[in-house]
Structure formats: C-alpha cells, structure tokens
Amino acid sequence: MAGQTVSMEGPVCLIENDSDGKLCVVRSALETLSQIEQHVVVVAVVGLYRTGKSYLMNKLAGTNKGFALGATIQSQTKGIWMWCVPHPIKSDHTLVLLDTEGLGDVEKGDDSNDNWIFSLAVLLSSTLVYNSMGTIDNYALEKLHYVTELTDHIKVKSVEGDIDESADYVRFFPSFVWAVRDFGLELKLDGKPITAHQYLENALKPKQGTSNKIVKYNLPRDCLRKFFSPRWCFVFERPANSEKMKRMEELTDADLEPSFVKQSRDFCDHLFKEVKTKTMIGGLKVTGKMLGNLTEMYVDMIRSGQVPCLDNAVVALAQIENSSALEKAKAYYQQSMAKMVVFPTETQQQLSMVHASMEREAVAIFMNSSFKDEEQKYQKELMKALQEVYSTICDKNSQESQRACTHIIEHIFAPLKVQLRKGSYMTPGGYKHYCDDLKMMTSEYRSTGGKGVKAEEVLKEYLNDKESTGQAILSADQSLTEAELKAEEEKAKREASEQEKRTMEEQIRVQEMLMDDQKRTHEEHKKQLLEKMEADKETAKVEYNRVLEAKLKEKEDLLKEGFHCKAQEMEAQIKDLRKEQEEQEKAKPSMWKLALDNVGNAALMIPGWGKLIGVGLKVGSHFMN
C-alpha cells in the first residue's frame, strides 16, 4: 500500500520566530504533515540570502512559482517553509521541500538563529542543498562556517560528558549537494576537463601543516568530508540578464539561457533519482507524520535551551509512533470485524477464520508502523487488546445465537404448543403422536439456518423444559402396556442422553476453535515479529555498508593526499565500526530469542485464554467419561 498523502497548492511556513524571537513550529503545517502516511524524501536548501535558493526549490516542485523569489536585496524567506508534493519517480513517496531563511541576513544581526536554522535543515532532511554564488573557494567555505559548529548544535547520544561524536555524524546526516550559481569558470584542472563533483572534491582537499592559518583553512573542509556522504556538486551559469532576473517568476524556460535550463534539469533529475528516503538511527524510514513529530521535538529542545539529541528523539518518537501504531491496528481490527461479521455466525470456525484474517492484517499494520518496541511492550498490549475485543465479539455471537435459536424454536414449535393447549395428546395413542410431532419439529429446527454456535444447547434447554410434559402424556396414554411404557421411558432417556452428547460436541467444537485461535495468535505474532526483525537486520546492514564505504573512501582519499595520521584515525574509526557490528551480530540470536519468548509468554498470559481453555478441557473430559 502506498499510504496516504496530501496535495498542497503551495508552500506554507513550518518554522518561524515568535514575538520573543524564539523558533516555534506552525501548528497548521504540522497538521498537514500528520496526514502524510507515506515515507518522505526531504530536500532542504540552505545558503546566504539572495542567492536564488527558492528558484531551485520551485524547479523541484515542478513550477516557476511557489516559494517567494524576490528581486531586491532583502531576504524573502523567513524561518523554514515547506511544500509537500508527489514524488515524480517514487509513487509511494512524498517529496518534502524545505526552503530556509537566508543565512547572513544583515537585518537580523544574530548569528545564533542562523546556526539553528542550518542545524534543523540538517536534522530534518534526506539531502542538504547548499546554495552559493560564484565559485567554491576559501571565501565560500569560510561562509559555510555553520558546518563547523554542528557539533555544538547536534548530539548523537544521550550520555553526558565531553565525548567527540563527530565520527558518528556521517551515519545520521543527510547527503550533501553544493549548488554553485552564476558560475563563469571552465571546469578544468591542470588543463584537463573535470566534472562538477570532482571540482567540489578538489576544493575540499586539506592542506599539510599545523599552523593556525592551515587549521582554520582545513576545518570546514574536514567537517564537510567527515559529516556528509555522498557529496555532489552542480554548477549553474547565469540564467538571464539582470533585467530579466528581476521578474524570474514570470519567465519560462524559453526566456532563460539554454545551458542554465539544462543544468537545472540535470540538478532536479539527479535529486529525484539519488536522494533516499529520510531515515533515522538504525535505518528507520520516516513518514510525513513522523517528520512532523521530529520537527516539533527538535524545536521544543531548542526553545528549552537544550541541544537536539538524535538518541532522545528516536526514543520519544518510538513512544509516539508505537502508541499510534497500537491504536491504528486496534481500530482497524474493530472496524473490520464489525464490517465482516454477521451475527450470529453459523459456526465458531467461521468467526475464527474472519478473526484470523483481520488479526493478521492488524498485526501487519502495527509492525509496519512500530519500531524500537523494547521488550515488545506495545506488541503485547496489542495482543491483549485484540483478544479483549475478540472475546467481546465471541460473547455477542453467543448471545445473538441464543436469541436467534429461541426465536426459531418459538416459530417451529408453535403448532406443538397449540396442540398441548388443546389437550390433543392426552388420548390413547397420544404419546406416539406427541413424539412424532416433536421429532418432526426437531428435525425442521436442525435443518433451519441462522442458528449459530448455540443451536444444540438452546434446543437441549427447550427439550429439557418439555421433559415433564412428555412424561405426563406418557403416563396418561392408557393404550400402552407396562412393558411398552418402560420401553418408551428408556427411549426418552436415550434421546435425552443423545441430545446431551450433541450439546457437548457443539461446546467442544467451539472450545477447540478458541484454543486454535490462541495457538494461531501466538504463531502469527511470532511470525510477523521475526519477519520484522529480519527486515530491520537488512536495513541496518545497508546503513552499515553505506557508512563503512564512506569511511573507507575517505581513508583512501586521505592516503592519496598524504595525510597518513588522519588516515590512521579513520582506520581506527573503521575498526570501531566493524567491532560494533560484530558485537551486534553476536548479540542478535539471544536478543531475538528473548523477543520471541516475550511474545510467546504474553500469548499464554492473555486474560480470558486460560479460562476458555479450562472450560474446553473440562467439557472434553466430561464427554470422554
């Protein structure tokens, strides 16, 4: 299933500054995100103000208008604006575009707001587009000083202490795209043509030395290389002359330089194909609803003076999402059962089959939306909740069966009631007529549909009520000899015993199906949990391989550039990463066994199951005796 998304006519403000100058989320924008159940690809653009960031975002949205462009020296975008559109390639994804307030706006005079805007763009995006003018030179990299301050504005782990987490950032940070606007140089290095990506990597090469000047030169380059992978670069020629650029929103591609149009198309095509789903720690894929919750959490942390922490965000998000997944699965089960079940069901098996199907789908809904369910707390709650609902449905099915059977008996046995009231059977030979009528009506009752799971039990109660009546008619029938009288009494006992047997068999069938339901519930939860753990394992493996590949490449580049000490540091990080992976693999079997045991034990402890099984065993034992 693709999941639910929304259609936005244009961008809206997601994060703004309140009257006190503090960042705050816009509630209506969060409500929009809360409706998006699809996974999201999030592209955020940052850069100095008045560098054409909004134009690129409009192109990604497939339009010339939307994000405000402006044609003056004033910054048009304030805070962070959001536009959710269908992803042009991934039909089951929503593309979320985030246009950020221009960095370095002289009217603000406060650099801390810029740092938080930049940090939020990093935290929320799948890929971060940095937009600048001219060339990638030392001046341009110095303007990107925000990247060197990310360690002060983002934490990975919740543990206290002075810990260097920068080596972990590449595991959780978005991919990086440098968009160079009004680029007028030839892409050549040492006289040979190079790509824009090679141009970026060459610009990020550090210098040898330890002087303050070289350390300052290397710092933004080291941070970009260490924090972001993969990295790409796109260069754009000037789109049009100055007069035309004052009215960019009115221009079509035909009014712009053909080379600029092609460069813009290449940029969009690349991002559509290469930018991945927004993920969290462990490779967790983020939906629009989750993105909204993350946004609110991060902004609340900033407002309270805390540094946003990825670990804490995941824990808090897990609580929100798991609670929501539980309620969503429970609601689906309730609504589906209400729609699918027609009371009374002819047999318990019919009800059990519907229950098994709806339970399987409800568990799948929970599994698809839940994550980091420690000790299967929420899954066990789901098992209990579904069983409580199912028990209520079973009770109602029994009640409706009782009501239906009583109504059918009243209708079918009405002629018998009339004859009894007339005294028609209180004559010689009347007992045989009474038995024949009773047998005929009983046969008609059993052949009538719509009785449900208590057909024989209700019939037994009716026949038990008629036992004294039959005895009175038998005693009054003077046509019978003493031997015939005794024979008829024995026959009545055998028929009563046969009816008792039928009733017990009916009850046993119900109890056996309920016992099968318990077993199936146990197996279904374990099966889907195992599938989820396998899927999570593969997701974590993909994330691990991506990070390992990035660190190996960085180590190789450092060796080529002659930075042997830094290469050794990177090798140490690679060893730590591999060791961490090995330890996790060793721990998995015991962790998985514990998780499956948690679910198994929970199934046996569900209120109602023990009582039902006990009744089933008791009835079965009585029947066997």
Side-chain angles (χ1 to χ4, degrees):
M1 295 177 62
Q4 182 177 326
T5 187
V6 297
S7 178
M8 293 178 63
E9 295 181 358
V12 297
C13 187
L14 174 63
I15 299 173
E16 62 183 1
N17 292 96
D18 62 17
S19 57
D20 295 327
K22 289 187 174 182
L23 293 173
C24 63
V25 292
V26 178
R27 187 59 47 185
S28 58
L30 288 183
E31 290 173 358
T32 298
L33 284 174
S34 71
Q35 299 173 45
I36 301 177
E37 296 178 352
Q38 286 188 338
H39 291 133
V40 291
V41 172
V42 188
V43 178
V45 62
V46 296
L48 301 180
Y49 77 108
R50 305 308 309 125
T51 54
K53 302 188 312 303
S54 299
Y55 176 83
L56 288 180
M57 301 305 275
N58 286 340
K59 296 304 289 183
L60 288 170
T63 180
N64 288 335
K65 296 181 179 180
F67 290 108
L69 300 184
T72 70
I73 60 172
Q74 287 184 309
S75 174
Q76 294 295 307
T77 304
K78 300 296 182 183
I80 297 180
W81 283 66
M82 173 189 77
W83 196 354
C84 303
V85 298
H87 197 286
I89 294 179
K90 302 176 181 179
S91 59
D92 57 347
H93 280 62
T94 297
L95 178 62
V96 180
L97 304 172
L98 301 179
D99 189 13
T100 65
E101 180 175 343
L103 305 175
D105 189 348
V106 294
E107 294 183 3
K108 289 183 295 188
D110 180 10
D111 205 37
S112 65
N113 192 74
D114 283 352
N115 274 311
W116 285 124
I117 291 289
F118 187 90
S119 299
L120 284 168
V122 171
L123 287 166
L124 298 176
S125 64
S126 309
T127 196
L128 183 72
V129 178
Y130 180 66
N131 195 72
S132 70
M133 302 289 286
T135 60
I136 302 178
D137 54 17
N138 197 48
Y139 176 77
L141 281 158
E142 285 179 351
K143 287 294 183 182
L144 191 52
H145 63 88
Y146 307 99
V147 76
T148 68
E149 299 167 24
L150 283 173
T151 53
D152 296 327
H153 293 82
I154 298 174
K155 288 175 60 180
V156 175
K157 297 180 173 61
S158 58
V159 294
E160 298 294 331
D162 187 16
I163 302 173
D164 181 12
E165 300 179 320
S166 59
D168 292 326
Y169 283 13
V170 71
R171 302 173 67 172
F172 315 116
F173 277 14
S175 54
F176 182 85
V177 178
W178 195 316
V180 188
R181 312 296 291 277
D182 293 0
F183 185 77
L185 303 178
E186 282 191 90
L187 282 174
K188 286 187 175 182
L189 182 64
D190 297 330
K192 296 179 180 180
I194 59 172
T195 65
H197 306 326
Q198 291 170 329
Y199 171 60
L200 171 62
E201 293 307 306
N202 184 67
L204 295 183
K205 285 184 178 179
K207 287 183 178 180
Q208 297 279 3
T210 57
S211 68
N212 290 338
K213 184 177 180 180
I214 290 178
V215 169
K216 183 180 178 182
Y217 175 92
N218 287 342
L219 183 57
R221 292 167 172 81
D222 288 343
C223 289
L224 279 172
R225 291 169 61 139
K226 187 188 298 185
F227 296 167
F228 300 99
S229 180
R231 298 180 296 270
W232 300 294
C233 179
F234 288 86
V235 297
F236 301 83
E237 297 180 16
R238 190 171 177 80
N241 61 43
S242 299
E243 286 302 313
K244 283 186 176 181
M245 289 185 65
K246 292 179 181 178
R247 48 188 183 87
M248 282 290 286
E249 289 184 349
E250 303 171 12
L251 302 182
T252 65
D253 285 350
D255 300 314
L256 303 175
E257 292 293 330
S259 56
F260 176 81
V261 173
K262 181 180 183 305
Q263 289 161 348
S264 299
R265 187 181 303 119
D266 291 344
F267 168 82
C268 292
D269 289 346
H270 179 86
L271 264 62
F272 293 151
K273 292 176 183 176
E274 297 297 334
V275 178
K276 308 299 183 185
T277 308
K278 170 64 180 172
T279 60
M280 293 289 290
I281 291 176
L284 169 70
K285 293 183 177 180
V286 174
T287 63
K289 180 183 176 184
M290 293 164 67
L291 183 67
N293 287 329
L294 283 172
T295 302
E296 189 168 25
M297 278 188 274
Y298 289 142
V299 172
D300 284 347
M301 289 178 189
I302 294 169
R303 286 179 63 87
S304 64
Q306 302 177 56
V307 175
C309 174
L310 295 172
D311 264 355
N312 289 344
V314 168
V315 171
L317 187 63
Q319 293 175 347
I320 295 171
E321 292 301 314
N322 290 342
S323 296
S324 175
L326 171 61
E327 292 304 316
K328 190 190 302 182
K330 181 181 175 181
Y332 175 85
Y333 176 82
Q334 288 176 309
Q335 293 165 9
S336 299
M337 290 296 282
K339 181 179 178 181
M340 298 293 292
V341 177
V342 178
F343 296 107
T345 61
E346 199 63 42
T347 64
Q348 181 64 35
Q349 184 180 19
Q350 290 179 355
L351 180 58
S352 294
M353 289 174 65
V354 177
H355 162 68
S357 177
M358 297 304 101
E359 182 181 43
R360 179 169 58 252
E361 294 180 19
V363 175
I365 288 172
F366 173 80
M367 290 298 182
N368 288 334
S369 301
S370 64
F371 66 97
K372 279 188 73 69
D373 184 12
E374 303 294 346
E375 297 180 355
Q376 289 63 57
K377 171 187 173 184
Y378 292 92
Q379 187 177 0
K380 288 187 285 188
E381 287 186 24
L382 175 64
M383 294 173 74
K384 178 181 177 182
L386 295 187
Q387 175 53 31
E388 288 175 350
V389 175
Y390 183 49
S391 293
T392 301
I393 291 172
C394 287
D395 287 344
K396 182 177 180 181
N397 196 43
S398 294
Q399 292 165 8
E400 291 298 325
S401 175
Q402 178 106 23
R403 188 177 293 111
C405 291
T406 301
H407 177 74
I408 291 171
I409 282 177
E410 289 175 352
H411 173 70
I412 290 176
F413 287 86
L416 185 71
K417 185 177 181 180
V418 172
Q419 295 299 324
L420 288 171
R421 190 164 52 243
K422 289 180 179 180
S424 301
Y425 300 119
M426 303 300 286
T427 59
Y431 182 72
K432 182 179 184 305
H433 292 308
Y434 171 75
C435 289
D436 289 343
D437 289 347
L438 192 63
K439 183 177 181 181
M440 178 191 66
M441 293 174 190
T442 299
S443 178
E444 181 182 354
Y445 169 81
R446 288 194 173 121
S447 65
T448 301
K451 299 187 296 296
V453 297
K454 297 182 77 73
E456 294 298 334
E457 183 177 333
V458 175
L459 177 61
K460 173 178 171 289
E461 292 172 358
Y462 176 80
L463 295 177
N464 285 347
D465 287 343
K466 290 291 177 284
E467 189 175 333
S468 58
T469 301
Q471 185 64 42
I473 295 173
L474 178 62
S475 299
D477 193 341
Q478 297 179 358
S479 67
L480 298 174
T481 65
E482 188 71 26
E484 289 173 332
L485 186 64
K486 287 184 178 180
E488 290 296 337
E489 288 176 346
E490 289 298 322
K491 181 181 177 183
K493 288 180 181 180
R494 288 196 303 272
E495 289 175 349
S497 177
E498 181 64 27
Q499 182 59 43
E500 180 73 22
K501 179 182 176 182
R502 283 175 175 267
T503 302
M504 287 184 178
E505 288 174 342
E506 179 182 69
Q507 292 175 353
I508 288 171
R509 284 194 296 271
V510 170
Q511 301 307 323
E512 284 178 342
M513 287 307 308
L514 291 172
M515 292 168 72
D516 286 344
D517 288 338
Q518 182 209 21
K519 181 179 178 181
R520 188 165 45 234
T521 289
H522 179 206
E523 292 175 348
E524 187 62 43
H525 276 267
K526 287 184 70 171
K527 173 177 171 288
Q528 292 204 34
L529 176 59
L530 189 59
E531 290 172 352
K532 181 176 179 60
M533 289 190 295
E534 287 284 0
D536 290 346
K537 176 184 175 182
E538 289 303 310
T539 300
K541 184 178 179 180
V542 170
E543 181 189 75
Y544 166 77
N545 288 335
R546 180 188 68 80
V547 175
L548 180 61
E549 183 180 339
K551 289 184 178 291
L552 286 170
K553 183 180 182 304
E554 183 63 18
K555 174 193 167 185
E556 182 182 346
D557 290 343
L558 288 168
L559 287 172
K560 287 180 180 178
E561 294 157 5
F563 290 90
H564 296 285
C565 289
K566 289 186 177 182
Q568 288 177 357
E569 292 176 7
M570 186 59 65
E571 177 61 28
Q573 293 179 19
I574 292 170
K575 286 181 178 179
D576 288 343
L577 181 64
R578 283 174 168 158
K579 182 179 179 182
E580 179 184 339
Q581 181 72 2
E582 289 173 1
E583 290 175 349
Q584 289 178 355
E585 287 298 322
K586 288 179 182 178
K588 274 191 174 74
S590 58
M591 291 173 59
W592 285 25
K593 183 180 184 302
L594 179 61
L596 294 172
D597 287 346
N598 282 336
V599 171
N601 293 335
L604 295 173
M605 295 173 65
I606 293 175
W609 278 128
K611 179 182 177 182
L612 289 173
I613 293 172
V615 171
L617 293 174
K618 182 178 179 181
V619 171
S621 175
H622 179 68
F623 171 63
M624 292 300 292
N625 292 333

PDB file of all heavy atoms in Angstrom, residues 171-183:
ATOM      1  N   ARG A 171      26.849   8.799   9.845  1.00  0.00           N
ATOM      2  CA  ARG A 171      25.862   7.727   9.910  1.00  0.00           C
ATOM      3  C   ARG A 171      24.441   8.274   9.899  1.00  0.00           C
ATOM      4  O   ARG A 171      23.504   7.567   9.514  1.00  0.00           O
ATOM      5  CB  ARG A 171      26.076   6.885  11.170  1.00  0.00           C
ATOM      6  CG  ARG A 171      27.445   6.268  11.276  1.00  0.00           C
ATOM      7  CD  ARG A 171      27.683   5.573  12.608  1.00  0.00           C
ATOM      8  NE  ARG A 171      26.842   4.398  12.785  1.00  0.00           N
ATOM      9  CZ  ARG A 171      26.972   3.557  13.794  1.00  0.00           C
ATOM     10  NH1 ARG A 171      27.896   3.763  14.724  1.00  0.00           N
ATOM     11  NH2 ARG A 171      26.192   2.509  13.889  1.00  0.00           N
ATOM     12  N   PHE A 172      24.271   9.508  10.329  1.00  0.00           N
ATOM     13  CA  PHE A 172      22.923  10.039  10.524  1.00  0.00           C
ATOM     14  C   PHE A 172      22.645  11.320   9.742  1.00  0.00           C
ATOM     15  O   PHE A 172      21.506  11.751   9.675  1.00  0.00           O
ATOM     16  CB  PHE A 172      22.684  10.288  12.021  1.00  0.00           C
ATOM     17  CG  PHE A 172      23.146   9.164  12.889  1.00  0.00           C
ATOM     18  CD1 PHE A 172      24.171   9.318  13.801  1.00  0.00           C
ATOM     19  CD2 PHE A 172      22.564   7.912  12.773  1.00  0.00           C
ATOM     20  CE1 PHE A 172      24.603   8.258  14.597  1.00  0.00           C
ATOM     21  CE2 PHE A 172      22.995   6.848  13.560  1.00  0.00           C
ATOM     22  CZ  PHE A 172      24.009   7.025  14.469  1.00  0.00           C
ATOM     23  N   PHE A 173      23.671  11.929   9.183  1.00  0.00           N
ATOM     24  CA  PHE A 173      23.478  13.178   8.456  1.00  0.00           C
ATOM     25  C   PHE A 173      23.019  12.910   7.026  1.00  0.00           C
ATOM     26  O   PHE A 173      23.233  11.823   6.480  1.00  0.00           O
ATOM     27  CB  PHE A 173      24.775  13.990   8.450  1.00  0.00           C
ATOM     28  CG  PHE A 173      24.987  14.809   9.699  1.00  0.00           C
ATOM     29  CD1 PHE A 173      24.239  14.582  10.838  1.00  0.00           C
ATOM     30  CD2 PHE A 173      25.940  15.811   9.726  1.00  0.00           C
ATOM     31  CE1 PHE A 173      24.435  15.325  11.992  1.00  0.00           C
ATOM     32  CE2 PHE A 173      26.148  16.565  10.867  1.00  0.00           C
ATOM     33  CZ  PHE A 173      25.395  16.326  12.008  1.00  0.00           C
ATOM     34  N   PRO A 174      22.403  13.909   6.406  1.00  0.00           N
ATOM     35  CA  PRO A 174      21.916  13.727   5.026  1.00  0.00           C
ATOM     36  C   PRO A 174      23.056  13.746   4.021  1.00  0.00           C
ATOM     37  O   PRO A 174      24.206  14.062   4.359  1.00  0.00           O
ATOM     38  CB  PRO A 174      21.007  14.946   4.838  1.00  0.00           C
ATOM     39  CG  PRO A 174      21.598  15.997   5.733  1.00  0.00           C
ATOM     40  CD  PRO A 174      22.086  15.245   6.950  1.00  0.00           C
ATOM     41  N   SER A 175      22.733  13.382   2.789  1.00  0.00           N
ATOM     42  CA  SER A 175      23.696  13.593   1.706  1.00  0.00           C
ATOM     43  C   SER A 175      23.807  15.100   1.460  1.00  0.00           C
ATOM     44  O   SER A 175      22.994  15.884   1.948  1.00  0.00           O
ATOM     45  CB  SER A 175      23.252  12.859   0.445  1.00  0.00           C
ATOM     46  OG  SER A 175      21.930  13.229   0.081  1.00  0.00           O
ATOM     47  N   PHE A 176      24.816  15.498   0.699  1.00  0.00           N
ATOM     48  CA  PHE A 176      25.126  16.929   0.574  1.00  0.00           C
ATOM     49  C   PHE A 176      25.270  17.301  -0.906  1.00  0.00           C
ATOM     50  O   PHE A 176      25.929  16.585  -1.675  1.00  0.00           O
ATOM     51  CB  PHE A 176      26.427  17.234   1.321  1.00  0.00           C
ATOM     52  CG  PHE A 176      26.825  18.683   1.304  1.00  0.00           C
ATOM     53  CD1 PHE A 176      26.320  19.569   2.227  1.00  0.00           C
ATOM     54  CD2 PHE A 176      27.721  19.160   0.344  1.00  0.00           C
ATOM     55  CE1 PHE A 176      26.698  20.911   2.220  1.00  0.00           C
ATOM     56  CE2 PHE A 176      28.101  20.491   0.322  1.00  0.00           C
ATOM     57  CZ  PHE A 176      27.586  21.365   1.269  1.00  0.00           C
ATOM     58  N   VAL A 177      24.636  18.390  -1.283  1.00  0.00           N
ATOM     59  CA  VAL A 177      24.752  18.911  -2.648  1.00  0.00           C
ATOM     60  C   VAL A 177      25.162  20.376  -2.572  1.00  0.00           C
ATOM     61  O   VAL A 177      24.508  21.175  -1.894  1.00  0.00           O
ATOM     62  CB  VAL A 177      23.414  18.799  -3.410  1.00  0.00           C
ATOM     63  CG1 VAL A 177      23.549  19.405  -4.809  1.00  0.00           C
ATOM     64  CG2 VAL A 177      22.968  17.343  -3.515  1.00  0.00           C
ATOM     65  N   TRP A 178      26.248  20.702  -3.257  1.00  0.00           N
ATOM     66  CA  TRP A 178      26.664  22.117  -3.347  1.00  0.00           C
ATOM     67  C   TRP A 178      26.212  22.626  -4.712  1.00  0.00           C
ATOM     68  O   TRP A 178      26.643  22.122  -5.756  1.00  0.00           O
ATOM     69  CB  TRP A 178      28.175  22.251  -3.205  1.00  0.00           C
ATOM     70  CG  TRP A 178      28.616  23.669  -2.937  1.00  0.00           C
ATOM     71  CD1 TRP A 178      28.169  24.808  -3.561  1.00  0.00           C
ATOM     72  CD2 TRP A 178      29.577  24.118  -1.970  1.00  0.00           C
ATOM     73  NE1 TRP A 178      28.767  25.922  -3.054  1.00  0.00           N
ATOM     74  CE2 TRP A 178      29.647  25.527  -2.068  1.00  0.00           C
ATOM     75  CE3 TRP A 178      30.378  23.463  -1.044  1.00  0.00           C
ATOM     76  CZ2 TRP A 178      30.504  26.295  -1.279  1.00  0.00           C
ATOM     77  CZ3 TRP A 178      31.228  24.223  -0.245  1.00  0.00           C
ATOM     78  CH2 TRP A 178      31.290  25.622  -0.360  1.00  0.00           C
ATOM     79  N   ALA A 179      25.338  23.613  -4.699  1.00  0.00           N
ATOM     80  CA  ALA A 179      24.849  24.249  -5.922  1.00  0.00           C
ATOM     81  C   ALA A 179      25.543  25.592  -6.075  1.00  0.00           C
ATOM     82  O   ALA A 179      25.346  26.496  -5.262  1.00  0.00           O
ATOM     83  CB  ALA A 179      23.338  24.418  -5.866  1.00  0.00           C
ATOM     84  N   VAL A 180      26.377  25.715  -7.100  1.00  0.00           N
ATOM     85  CA  VAL A 180      27.149  26.947  -7.329  1.00  0.00           C
ATOM     86  C   VAL A 180      26.455  27.751  -8.419  1.00  0.00           C
ATOM     87  O   VAL A 180      26.390  27.320  -9.579  1.00  0.00           O
ATOM     88  CB  VAL A 180      28.597  26.635  -7.735  1.00  0.00           C
ATOM     89  CG1 VAL A 180      29.415  27.921  -7.775  1.00  0.00           C
ATOM     90  CG2 VAL A 180      29.225  25.634  -6.776  1.00  0.00           C
ATOM     91  N   ARG A 181      25.945  28.927  -8.071  1.00  0.00           N
ATOM     92  CA  ARG A 181      25.192  29.768  -9.004  1.00  0.00           C
ATOM     93  C   ARG A 181      26.093  30.789  -9.674  1.00  0.00           C
ATOM     94  O   ARG A 181      27.125  31.186  -9.136  1.00  0.00           O
ATOM     95  CB  ARG A 181      24.061  30.477  -8.254  1.00  0.00           C
ATOM     96  CG  ARG A 181      23.230  29.556  -7.374  1.00  0.00           C
ATOM     97  CD  ARG A 181      22.492  28.501  -8.189  1.00  0.00           C
ATOM     98  NE  ARG A 181      21.449  29.109  -8.986  1.00  0.00           N
ATOM     99  CZ  ARG A 181      20.241  29.400  -8.520  1.00  0.00           C
ATOM    100  NH1 ARG A 181      19.940  29.083  -7.270  1.00  0.00           N
ATOM    101  NH2 ARG A 181      19.331  29.958  -9.283  1.00  0.00           N
ATOM    102  N   ASP A 182      25.679  31.236 -10.857  1.00  0.00           N
ATOM    103  CA  ASP A 182      26.423  32.238 -11.646  1.00  0.00           C
ATOM    104  C   ASP A 182      27.886  31.821 -11.809  1.00  0.00           C
ATOM    105  O   ASP A 182      28.805  32.625 -11.661  1.00  0.00           O
ATOM    106  CB  ASP A 182      26.339  33.614 -10.988  1.00  0.00           C
ATOM    107  CG  ASP A 182      24.920  34.178 -11.016  1.00  0.00           C
ATOM    108  OD1 ASP A 182      24.025  33.498 -11.549  1.00  0.00           O
ATOM    109  OD2 ASP A 182      24.712  35.291 -10.503  1.00  0.00           O
ATOM    110  N   PHE A 183      28.073  30.570 -12.118  1.00  0.00           N
ATOM    111  CA  PHE A 183      29.425  30.018 -12.274  1.00  0.00           C
ATOM    112  C   PHE A 183      29.938  30.361 -13.664  1.00  0.00           C
ATOM    113  O   PHE A 183      29.323  30.006 -14.681  1.00  0.00           O
ATOM    114  CB  PHE A 183      29.380  28.497 -12.078  1.00  0.00           C
ATOM    115  CG  PHE A 183      30.721  27.831 -12.097  1.00  0.00           C
ATOM    116  CD1 PHE A 183      31.555  27.889 -10.996  1.00  0.00           C
ATOM    117  CD2 PHE A 183      31.159  27.137 -13.221  1.00  0.00           C
ATOM    118  CE1 PHE A 183      32.787  27.255 -10.986  1.00  0.00           C
ATOM    119  CE2 PHE A 183      32.391  26.503 -13.234  1.00  0.00           C
ATOM    120  CZ  PHE A 183      33.210  26.569 -12.116  1.00  0.00           C
TER     121      PHE A 183
END
